[in-house]
Amino acid sequence: MGGTAQELAEASVRAMYDKDRASRALGMRVLEVRPGAARVRMKVRPGMANGHGICHGGYIFALADSAFAFACNSHGAATVAAGATIDFLRSAKVGDQLVAVAVERSRARRTGVYDVTVHNQHEDTIALFRGRSHRRGA
C-alpha cells in the first residue's frame, strides 16, 4: 500500500474492518482513522445488558479493543494485542451511543502502547483501556 500516511491508515483499516466479523456483528462503525489513532462507535443494544440491566463490561472491552486494533494496524503492518487492561468508571445503559477513542502513546520496532477512552453520548467517560501491541513478522 502506497500513498500518504493518512491514505495508508484509511486503506489498512478499511481492509481490516471488511474482514472483522466481530466488530461488524456488534454494530461497531469506524468514525475516523489517522496514523496511530481511531474513533469507533457502538450502540448498546438490549442483548448487551447484564443481570443488572446495564451494559456488560465485555462489550465495552470489545469496543475499546477494536478501536485499539484499528489504531495499531493503521500503519499498514499486521499488528496484534500483546495485552490490555481496562478500568470501568461508570455504567453504560441500553440505548447509549458509546465512542472509543484510541491514541498511540509509543511505537517502537515491534511493540506499541495505546490508550483508549470510552465515552457515551453525553461525553461521560465510561472506561479507560490501555493496550500493548506486537507487530507480527517485524
Side-chain angles (χ1 to χ4, degrees), residues 41-123:
R41 181 182 64 217
M42 178 184 77
K43 182 177 182 176
V44 179
R45 300 182 305 219
M48 296 175 172
N50 64 17
H52 297 292
I54 57 176
C55 185
H56 188 289
Y59 291 106
I60 297 169
F61 187 98
L63 174 63
D65 187 49
S66 288
F68 160 57
F70 295 132
C72 65
N73 279 276
S74 66
H75 297 289
T79 305
V80 297
T85 60
I86 193 165
D87 291 303
F88 299 106
L89 305 179
R90 77 175 39 195
S91 303
K93 298 168 185 55
V94 172
D96 279 352
Q97 291 282 344
L98 301 181
V99 175
V101 179
V103 178
E104 184 176 272
R105 297 298 182 203
S106 172
R107 183 169 155 259
R109 199 174 101 107
R110 295 185 75 167
T111 63
V113 176
Y114 295 77
D115 286 331
V116 183
T117 302
V118 178
H119 61 84
N120 65 15
Q121 68 275 13
H122 306 293
E123 298 297 321

Side-chain angles (χ1 to χ4, degrees), residues 1-12 14 33-35 74-76:
M1 292 184 218
T4 68
Q6 181 62 32
E7 290 169 337
L8 176 60
E10 291 171 5
S12 297
R14 187 172 36 255
V33 63
R34 295 184 324 275
S74 66
H75 297 289

